[in-house]
Every structure is written in C-alpha cells, then in structure tokens.
C-alpha cells in the first residue's frame, strides 16, 4: 500500500463512524486502525502496520497520539524461534468452532497433540476439519474467526 493510499485510509477512517478497522493483504501485510473519543471530545487513534515488523505512524494525521496506540501483542524472535506453523491446505473461510454457540477448538496457550482438531475451513459448502500436525502449545492464532484464508497461509503457530 502506498503512502498516499494509507493516508487516505486514515482520513476516511477518521471521517467515518467506524471505531476500528483491520485490513489484511495477501502478502501478509496487516493494517489495524482504532479510534476512540476521550472526555475532551478529541479523537485519539492508533495505527499499526505489520509485515513481520510493527511500524507506528503517529505523524500522518495531526490528532494521532503516540500514547494511544492499538494494543499490540509483543512478537519477539525468541518467542517464535522454535515454532512450527500449521498452514492452510486450501482456500476458504476459517472457523474457530463447529458452530457459533460452541466453544473454540483451541485458544492461545492450549496444549495440543498431533491429530487434534484446531479449526474448520469451509470450502465450497464443505466443512474441512484441520488437525494439528505437531504436538505442542498454541502460541498464536494467525487468522480471525470467519476470516478468509488462502492456500499456504499460516493458521497457527505451535511451540
């Protein structure tokens, strides 16, 4: 995404009634924007752009404040050094549970064994259970529930 497009997206977000927006591109770049109003009526915004690194952009719009960024999960190389990645075997829609009223198959911190069901990917109205290829602990769930996934896209990081 070019700087002009990013700046326009920020302006559009600022002018809208949306309180948050997340965009994920096929190349792995993620843009998250969040705004809220403090007691003085001024808008505070946090912008996070990730592509294996986090970049804060506090000076793009005048009222963006550095003290109000989006909450970011610390991603250190030490945490992800020994991780195995479960990748999507198909294109489809990612689901964390078998139904909206059912509990998630796994959460961050859960211990899993090879063969445990991690999620479901719906492709062409078929529900495909994705099983763990490794024993370990879920370190990160890389896709949001009901998000679109591409072939080979990381779904889970297991340590």
């Amino acid at each position: 995404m070019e700087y002009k497009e990013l700046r326009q997206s920020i302006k559009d977000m600022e002018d809208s009634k949306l309180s948050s927006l997340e965009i994920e591109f096929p190349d792995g770049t993620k843009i998250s924007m969040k705004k809220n109003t403090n007691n003085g009526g001024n808008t505070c915004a946090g912008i996070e752009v990730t592509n294996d690194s986090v970049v804060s952009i506090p000076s793009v719009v005048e009222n963006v404040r550095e003290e109000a960024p989006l909450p970011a999960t610390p991603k250190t190389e030490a945490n992800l050094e020994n991780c195995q990645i479960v990748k999507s075997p198909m294109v489809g829609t990612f689901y964390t549970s078998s139904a909206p009223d059912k509990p998630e198959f796994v959460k961050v911190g859960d211990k899993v064994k090879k063969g445990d069901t991690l999620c479901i990917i719906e492709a062409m109205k078929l529900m495909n259970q994705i099983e763990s290829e490794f024993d370990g602990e879920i370190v990160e769930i890389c896709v949001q529930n009901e998000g679109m996934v591409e072939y080979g896209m990381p779904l889970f990081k297991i340590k």
Side-chain angles (χ1 to χ4, degrees), residues 14-40:
E14 197 174 57
D15 295 341
S16 75
K17 292 182 181 181
L18 293 174
S19 61
S20 66
L21 175 68
E22 289 189 23
I23 303 168
E24 186 170 341
F25 296 94
D27 69 354
T29 301
K30 296 178 187 177
I31 297 176
S32 298
M33 293 186 263
K34 182 177 181 179
K35 69 178 179 181
N36 45 28
T37 307
N38 62 16
N39 294 338

Side-chain angles (χ1 to χ4, degrees), residues 15-82:
D15 295 341
S16 75
K17 292 182 181 181
L18 293 174
S19 61
S20 66
L21 175 68
E22 289 189 23
I23 303 168
E24 186 170 341
F25 296 94
D27 69 354
T29 301
K30 296 178 187 177
I31 297 176
S32 298
M33 293 186 263
K34 182 177 181 179
K35 69 178 179 181
N36 45 28
T37 307
N38 62 16
N39 294 338
N42 297 327
T43 302
C44 296
I47 298 133
E48 178 181 301
V49 179
T50 60
N51 190 358
D52 294 330
S53 63
V54 176
V55 179
S56 294
I57 310 172
S59 62
V60 175
V61 180
E62 294 84 33
N63 66 351
V64 175
R65 295 185 183 171
E66 197 166 333
E67 57 270 1
L70 280 178
T73 54
K75 293 183 181 179
T76 62
E77 288 184 28
N79 288 349
L80 304 177
E81 220 171 69
N82 299 322

Side-chain angles (χ1 to χ4, degrees), residues 124-135:
M124 298 177 62
K125 301 291 181 192
L126 294 174
M127 301 298 184
N128 301 283
Q129 288 189 353
I130 307 303
E131 297 177 349
S132 178
E133 303 165 19
F134 318 102
D135 292 343

Side-chain angles (χ1 to χ4, degrees), residues 69-138:
L70 280 178
T73 54
K75 293 183 181 179
T76 62
E77 288 184 28
N79 288 349
L80 304 177
E81 220 171 69
N82 299 322
C83 289
Q84 301 287 338
I85 297 177
V86 177
K87 295 181 180 180
S88 178
M90 64 191 72
V91 174
T93 305
F94 176 89
Y95 294 103
T96 57
S97 63
S98 59
D101 59 338
K102 300 287 183 184
E104 298 173 341
F105 291 111
V106 294
K107 295 182 258 334
V108 172
D110 286 355
K111 303 278 188 202
V112 294
K113 294 183 180 183
K114 185 175 181 175
D116 288 353
T117 301
L118 300 175
C119 66
I120 292 176
I121 296 181
E122 178 186 0
M124 298 177 62
K125 301 291 181 192
L126 294 174
M127 301 298 184
N128 301 283
Q129 288 189 353
I130 307 303
E131 297 177 349
S132 178
E133 303 165 19
F134 318 102
D135 292 343
E137 178 182 337
I138 302 290

